[in-house]
Amino acid sequence: MAEFDLIVIGSGPGGYVAAIRASQLGQKVAIVERENLGGICLNWGCIPTKALLKSGEKFESLSHLKDYGLSASGATFDFDAIIQRSRGVASTMSKGITFLMKKNKIEVIEGSAKLEKGAAAPKVVIALKAGGSRTVEAKAVMLAVGARAKAIPQIGLEADGDRIWAYREALAPKSMPKSIVVIGSGAIGVEFGSFYRALGAEVTIVEAVDRIMPVEDEEVSKAAQKSFEKRGIKFRTGCKVTKVSKSAKGVSVAIEAGGKAETLEAEICISAVGITANTDGIGLEAMGVNMDRGHITIDGHCATNVKGLYAIGDCAGAPWLAHKASHEGIHAAEYIAGYKTPNVVSPIAGCTYAQPQVASVGVTEQGAREAKREVKIGRFPFRVNGKAVAAGEIDGFVKVIFDAKTGALIGAHMIGHEVTEMIQGYVTAITMEATEEDIHGIVYPHPTMSEAMHEAALDAYGRTIHL
């Protein structure tokens, strides 16, 4: 007889949330974790990076005090204290997950898991952190094993904890570097570049395609590059990295663009070229689990092709976002418990917490054009938004995309101050299948930067008021 109703492998924002939801539904649940509760997100990703970015933002803002009629002199920073604050925030959040596991009567098993053939679901064989092993069985097993930083050893791009960093090394360095080359201009690369630039490092970001943040709307991408360049960040786009070489003094990054070769020199190279799913060494091949380019293949309820085995989050494919993992975890937990929930597909927002912030949901303008969809597009700049002007945060804009035939909101894109806190309004609208009439009829509080969301929707239909 199965010892548990559900065993969750991995305690990141997908795994621990799934475990809690299953427990709420009366399931007997165990969660297996080989490192720290909270996974990469809470310990080495989402949370500690935001702590660093806030420190950088606060320090950089001191150079603009005169814009607010203020003055101060002799501002400095304690780099070790900044790093320790970030690590402390991560530790606090991880301890919070320990409390939630106890509160919800979820058994935490510390160790590394491997799957073997079972009855209702695969057996889970755990190499315990304390020594020895334990085999547990359940009616269902959920893989929430996440991913790790991708390495490209053939060109020398492999984190060594010294001159070449991935996200772990960039979060807890021994000292503040004077110069950095970041390879990759996605959210991770841009966020680390933004933080280190805020503290005065010379930062160059290298991107393989012809524009930065290539998953974002092209208009937002171009605006972001201009804003980052104003802060002194340099970019090399459309570049192929051919070799990363280390020396006692730093790194040399060889790149090629348009048939021309160039070498970038810096103290540190940060690799932000993507992630690799943690699917190796856990018995998937022997179980016959279907895979697609290293990621586990799942259906609309996060089930794999193996009876009783589910997968969520980064290990199950894009988008590689914590909130997507949590959403899938809750859905799968409810489905396993017998609830007839709708398929897991739902609009997922993307957020980048640099200065300025970038947030988006749904289709881009170029995506809509490529799909030959007839659209109506509206924009509204923060430079004429009352709250933004009062706050001195006038950079950026809001852009919305409506289906011209139905009026449905199908995409929204923002760049500016704290737009990651605003995007959820559009996520809700798309989820609830809102049309332009719905959004036009909403009363937005004044003065708020969110009024730009209303004006952008009005602009798509030639009704904007303040522009």
Side-chain angles (χ1 to χ4, degrees):
M1 186 174 179
E3 188 176 352
F4 296 96
D5 293 305
L6 174 64
I7 298 169
V8 181
I9 302 175
S11 70
Y16 85 76
V17 166
I20 290 171
R21 183 63 184 133
S23 179
Q24 290 175 342
L25 296 173
Q27 303 281 288
K28 186 179 180 182
V29 185
I31 193 164
V32 183
E33 175 56 56
R34 67 182 180 183
E35 195 171 354
N36 302 112
L37 287 174
I40 293 298
C41 177
L42 270 65
N43 293 282
W44 295 102
C46 315
I47 301 304
T49 56
K50 305 310 163 282
L52 292 184
L53 284 161
K54 178 55 69 173
S55 291
E57 178 188 339
K58 291 287 188 182
F59 182 73
E60 195 168 19
S61 68
L62 296 177
S63 63
H64 303 290
L65 288 180
K66 66 179 181 180
D67 296 338
Y68 299 88
L70 306 172
S71 65
S73 60
T76 60
F77 63 85
D78 183 332
F79 187 68
D80 289 341
I82 290 172
I83 298 302
Q84 288 308 309
R85 175 181 179 272
S86 172
R87 300 313 309 146
V89 168
S91 176
T92 297
M93 297 303 295
S94 183
K95 290 174 182 175
I97 306 305
T98 299
F99 165 76
L100 290 173
M101 296 298 98
K102 291 179 179 178
K103 176 186 175 183
N104 289 280
K105 298 179 174 58
I106 297 164
E107 182 175 344
V108 177
I109 306 173
E110 296 183 328
S112 299
K114 189 171 183 178
L115 304 178
E116 292 184 357
K117 188 174 182 180
K123 294 179 182 179
V124 181
V125 181
I126 306 160
L128 299 171
K129 188 181 290 187
S133 65
R134 177 181 173 185
T135 299
V136 289
E137 294 186 65
K139 297 175 183 176
V141 173
M142 186 184 300
L143 295 173
V145 294
R148 61 188 182 276
K150 183 179 181 181
I152 312 177
Q154 55 268 37
I155 63 169
L157 190 58
E158 193 168 22
D160 63 359
D162 183 23
R163 294 297 178 185
I164 302 177
W165 298 349
Y167 54 81
R168 285 187 182 239
E169 294 80 10
L171 279 165
K174 297 175 183 177
S175 61
M176 169 69 191
K178 294 181 180 179
S179 57
I180 298 173
V181 172
V182 181
I183 302 177
S185 72
I188 293 174
V190 164
E191 286 183 6
F192 278 124
S194 183
F195 165 68
Y196 281 104
R197 179 57 192 158
L199 297 187
E202 292 295 323
V203 176
T204 301
I205 298 179
V206 179
E207 173 56 53
V209 301
D210 60 359
R211 63 185 178 92
I212 71 166
M213 307 178 77
V215 301
E216 299 294 344
D217 185 87
E218 188 170 353
E219 199 171 345
V220 170
S221 173
K222 290 178 179 178
Q225 182 167 338
K226 287 182 181 179
S227 292
F228 296 146
E229 286 175 339
K230 285 181 183 178
R231 294 180 55 213
I233 298 175
K234 299 174 183 177
F235 293 92
R236 296 289 191 277
T237 57
C239 291
K240 177 183 179 182
V241 176
T242 58
K243 184 70 176 177
V244 179
S245 305
K246 299 179 289 185
S247 70
K249 295 183 179 180
V251 290
S252 298
V253 180
I255 60 175
E256 287 183 0
K260 295 182 179 180
E262 182 182 359
T263 299
L264 306 175
E265 304 286 347
E267 284 188 18
I268 297 295
C269 174
I270 296 179
S271 174
V273 294
I275 61 171
T276 299
N278 292 322
T279 54
D280 49 316
I282 57 175
L284 299 185
E285 294 84 358
M287 295 292 302
V289 176
N290 288 343
M291 307 286 289
D292 179 16
R293 290 171 290 183
H295 292 88
I296 301 167
T297 302
I298 58 174
D299 68 9
H301 298 294
C302 303
T304 73
N305 63 303
V306 173
K307 180 183 177 183
L309 182 64
Y310 296 76
I312 63 169
D314 288 357
C315 70
W320 299 287
L321 300 167
H323 42 291
K324 172 255 196 183
S326 297
H327 175 67
E328 288 181 336
I330 290 172
H331 175 97
E334 292 177 346
Y335 183 76
I336 290 166
Y339 283 72
K340 294 182 179 179
T341 53
N343 278 5
V344 74
V345 177
S346 186
I348 305 293
C351 297
T352 301
Y353 300 82
Q355 292 176 251
Q357 293 184 359
V358 172
S360 60
V361 64
V363 301
T364 62
E365 179 181 355
Q366 57 269 30
R369 304 291 188 199
E370 289 169 4
K372 301 189 184 307
R373 297 185 71 167
E374 187 180 346
V375 295
K376 286 184 177 291
I377 296 173
R379 302 171 182 83
F380 195 81
F382 286 121
R383 60 180 170 78
V384 291
N385 171 271
K387 177 64 179 298
V389 173
E393 301 289 355
I394 62 172
D395 288 343
F397 58 88
V398 177
K399 177 178 180 178
V400 290
I401 303 170
F402 291 92
D403 184 284
K405 295 180 180 179
T406 66
L409 178 68
I410 59 174
H413 309 273
M414 304 179 183
I415 178 170
H417 181 66
E418 295 293 348
V419 294
T420 58
E421 297 291 341
M422 295 163 57
I423 192 64
Q424 188 57 33
Y426 284 141
V427 175
T428 300
I430 294 176
T431 301
M432 300 184 72
E433 300 180 344
T435 66
E436 90 284 0
E437 289 186 359
D438 298 317
I439 298 173
H440 289 174
I442 294 173
V443 180
Y444 284 75
H446 174 79
T448 63
M449 290 183 69
S450 67
E451 289 176 278
M453 298 168 63
H454 191 213
E455 292 274 16
L458 291 171
D459 182 59
Y461 287 83
R463 292 179 52 187
T464 187
I465 301 297
H466 292 97
L467 190 67

